[in-house]
Amino acid sequence: MRLACRLIFPDGRTTTCEVEGPSIRLGRDAACEIAIDPIACPGVSGQHARLDARNGGFVIVHVSRSNKTLLNDLIVEKTAPVKPGDRLKLGYSGPTIDLISLKAAAAGESPEDAGKTLQADARDLALLRGTLGAKRIEIGQGGVIGRDPHVEFPLNHPHVSGSHARLTTKRGRVSIADMGSSNGTFVNGQRLKKTANLKPRDRIDIGPFSLVFDGTGLVSQSRSNNVELSAAGLKRVVTDRATGKPLIILEDVTLVIRPREFVCLLGPSGSGKSTLLAMLSGRNEPDEGLVAVNGADLYADFDAIKADIAVVPQKDILHDSLAVGTALRYTAQLRLPPDTSRKELASSVSDILDVVGLSERRGTLIRHLSGGQVKRASLANELMSRPSLLFLDEVTSGLDEQTDQEVMQLFRHVANGGKTVVCVTHSLANVEATCNLVVILTKGGRLAFFGSPDEAKDYFGIRRLGDVYSKLEEHQPKEWHTRFRASPYYRRYITERKPVEKPGRIRSASGRNVSRPSRTSFLRQSWVLTRRYVSILRGDPQALLAMLGQGLLIAGLLALVFGKLDDASNRVVQTRSLLLLLAVSCFWFGCNAAAKELVKERIIFHRERAINLRVGAYFASKLIVLAAITIVQVSLLWGIVQWWCRAAVRGDLEWLILSALAVAGTAVGLLISALARSEELATALVPIVVIPQIILAGVIPELNGSLARVIANAFVTVHWAQKALENLLSEEDLALIEKARGNWRGALAVVFLHLVLAASLGLLVLWQPEEQSK
């Protein structure tokens, strides 16, 4: 048999190893396949325990007569079955051993084949990078904490900046100051804005590292691949839409989920699975109860903890016109600290592609991947910043049985790699083979069971886990909840795991530590987002060509209809009509191109915003790229019409006014996109905005009513652009249409004012927090 494992010693040191043999002995003796240093771990027996292969599986055999062997914190009396993802502990003060992979040696297998087997399992190890190498940091004379290995106190994790914070000692006092880090430094859950003096028992959060000050040093309580998720007494009450009365959809749910556990939330429709997932992941605060991550209140300390949490929703949150590697590279640039080197970025992308098995698909457009590969890419996107707590919301929905198996096995690998994984799923085909524990909820959101899949079948008296739904119908939800609380499984998986004590008060959203964006530079993020948007558009060349073709088509039609104006008998009237059609066309170019650009990315936007996306940078990237495209459209339209029709208007100023109008139309389109809740609604709103621009422009017809003039002056951008364009005509031409000479600069200024107002309103709408459904 072959074993790949990670050893975590009491002093915080970690190491990984791969061994093989007929059986694998663990103990202090040098003859053991996994020999433990007797000086570092004196509480380990000479031959403490043994791993054997039996009946197609694996068991841990307790050997020591004087010390205990623990499997997932439960005492092993004689033997117990084990599987990848389990955690062994040799004595209460001995090392912890995480089982990454277990393989039985096949008869006649060649060494080359064995090497391939071990190499395949090595992808689990890629997720273990970035853990803390010491349990206690002696502050001494102080120094810099950061990711850079040359600083005084190195913390190796992607969430930590190169030079993150500075510790200073003066007259017996220790203080800490943030050094402009990307993800911030937190003391007792509050983000540092200035230097803070430390007191004993103060908690410092830097990335996934919680460091407790004990007076002279910092004691690590790292969350890196070491997250325990606790929930106590969770409750959610909503208003029933049919009756208007309060409706309980989740009640008194208490759980403890430990590191490296893959847990599935199961239950019939209306059992509150997605509601529970939203509470556990910090997306929706419970009406009562507490959620804790390694003992810290998730909602009170959300700003400090959120970078360690990843949520993969049912709908894929990827730009399908990007190649897999390109999409991950942009994600890495957005989510990792700005001082991350190109080499580190490339290494992170390669590692994650290897973990999810997409290395060979690096250059493939996401739209060309299979359903299962898209799920892998979505998972890779969320793993990029090395979170320790992963939530999966029905991500296997719609997959065939084979693909479902592959994806669930991938989640098992991720848990083996050190993550705490919680998944909502309706497909039970592969739950038993991959999950450590299942949470079974009844209708009305009561906890009916929490334990392993095999224990669930024994508890409910069923042969298949899928039969649990019909079994739940045999009793009322409250009865199932009461029965489970009296069962040994409740004591084993909840009471003995020491869940967080249930608070005696009702929590309210007002007590939440409101999440703020990271300190990533606005300019840097705008630059990354702009380059990403250009890459997205380049990935869909047909759409880009269609946008540019609009300018050529309209230019050709105008040239065909108006001909050469310098020879026309009614040249001035024709010129005025041409200017109106040019203005309306340019405004429409911008408005139509931008109207769907925000709403179609709503899910991606809210997910990235929850991590570190700056709303202003996102909006600016859209406006910059779309404005550039519309200016190209305007240039094509203006150039052809100016060359062919020979309108008696100063060409350079005409181009400037039409370009400003097109950018204003782009800003209005983005405002529409920010307001709309669907792409269909955004498309329907475009003509509602554009048609009044034609009617109230003041050309066909003239604006005679005072109310019409007020509306046009206040809201119609084309009206002001038309004024600016007409004031480029000669005095003689203006006299023919009985128009007095005006100031084209003032009219153009109003166009720019409309641009700024539309962009500001669009940004304001986009800035509003996402609505949390109850």
Side-chain angles (χ1 to χ4, degrees), residues 154-467:
L155 298 179
N156 181 24
H157 194 277
H159 294 170
V160 181
S161 297
S163 296
H164 198 106
R166 181 181 295 278
L167 289 168
T168 304
T169 58
K170 187 176 182 180
R171 297 176 183 175
R173 288 191 173 187
V174 179
S175 62
I176 186 169
D178 187 78
M179 299 179 67
S181 65
S182 175
N183 292 313
T185 302
F186 299 82
V187 175
N188 299 325
Q190 299 298 314
R191 191 168 189 160
L192 275 184
K193 296 181 179 179
K194 57 183 180 179
T195 301
N197 292 322
L198 296 178
K199 303 183 296 295
R201 300 184 68 182
D202 278 350
R203 189 185 82 247
I204 302 167
D205 286 296
I206 295 178
F209 304 107
S210 287
L211 309 169
V212 178
F213 180 59
D214 65 2
T216 59
L218 298 175
V219 181
S220 169
Q221 298 176 356
S222 172
R223 292 189 306 271
S224 181
N225 296 324
N226 184 37
V227 165
E228 179 177 270
L229 179 67
S230 303
L234 299 185
K235 184 176 183 178
R236 165 65 80 200
V237 183
V238 299
T239 300
D240 192 326
R241 294 181 181 178
T243 64
K245 297 180 180 180
L247 176 66
I248 298 175
I249 59 174
L250 202 71
E251 185 168 14
D252 195 19
V253 175
T254 298
L255 301 169
V256 179
I257 302 171
R258 289 186 165 165
R260 282 156 289 277
E261 287 186 340
F262 180 19
V263 178
C264 277
L265 308 183
L266 310 177
S269 296
S271 60
K273 300 184 297 297
S274 294
T275 300
L276 177 58
L277 189 82
M279 290 180 184
L280 296 176
S281 61
R283 291 183 294 169
N284 206 340
E285 189 170 6
D287 294 317
E288 292 184 26
L290 180 70
V291 181
V293 172
N294 286 4
D297 187 329
L298 173 62
Y299 287 91
D301 295 345
F302 186 71
D303 212 24
I305 297 173
K306 68 174 184 178
D308 229 18
I309 300 173
V311 180
V312 183
Q314 181 178 357
K315 187 172 182 180
D316 300 308
I317 49 175
L318 298 167
H319 296 96
D320 63 3
S321 58
L322 293 179
V324 177
T326 302
L328 295 183
R329 186 180 74 247
Y330 284 124
T331 297
Q333 290 174 344
L334 288 171
R335 298 187 185 181
L336 300 185
D339 58 4
T340 305
S341 68
R342 290 186 178 182
K343 184 177 179 181
E344 288 177 303
L345 288 172
S347 176
S348 293
V349 172
S350 297
D351 283 350
I352 296 302
L353 285 172
D354 188 43
V355 167
V356 300
L358 287 179
S359 295
E360 296 181 358
R361 297 287 184 179
R362 187 187 193 110
T364 304
L365 294 183
I366 292 172
R367 69 162 66 102
H368 296 154
L369 298 177
S370 66
Q373 289 170 339
V374 171
K375 298 299 181 185
R376 291 171 180 268
S378 294
L379 178 62
N381 194 67
E382 296 308 310
L383 291 176
M384 184 54 62
S385 56
R386 295 297 200 278
S388 296
L389 186 53
L390 183 66
F391 294 93
L392 311 162
D393 193 358
E394 299 188 35
V395 294
T396 60
S397 177
L399 299 180
D400 60 71
E401 186 174 344
Q402 177 63 32
T403 306
D404 179 274
Q405 180 182 16
E406 293 174 358
V407 172
M408 291 292 283
Q409 286 288 355
L410 173 60
F411 299 154
R412 175 70 265 164
H413 279 298
V414 170
N416 291 348
K419 312 305 176 189
T420 304
V421 182
V422 182
C423 173
V424 171
T425 182
H426 285 290
S427 174
L428 305 186
N430 298 289
V431 169
E432 296 179 49
T434 55
C435 291
N436 298 100
L437 302 169
V438 292
V439 175
I440 299 177
L441 299 172
T442 66
K443 288 183 179 180
R446 288 181 177 271
L447 184 62
F449 182 80
F450 181 38
S452 72
D454 288 338
E455 289 169 335
K457 290 189 293 183
D458 291 340
Y459 180 77
F460 288 101
I462 53 179
R463 298 182 62 183
R464 294 170 50 257
L465 193 58
D467 295 334

Side-chain angles (χ1 to χ4, degrees), residues 700-732:
I700 43 174
E702 297 283 350
L703 298 177
N704 295 320
S706 59
L707 179 60
R709 286 197 186 95
V710 170
I711 295 174
N713 288 334
F715 303 109
V716 181
T717 312
V718 170
H719 170 70
W720 288 100
Q722 183 71 16
K723 277 189 174 185
L725 290 168
E726 288 180 355
N727 278 292
L728 298 178
L729 295 171
S730 65
E731 294 283 356
E732 179 184 352

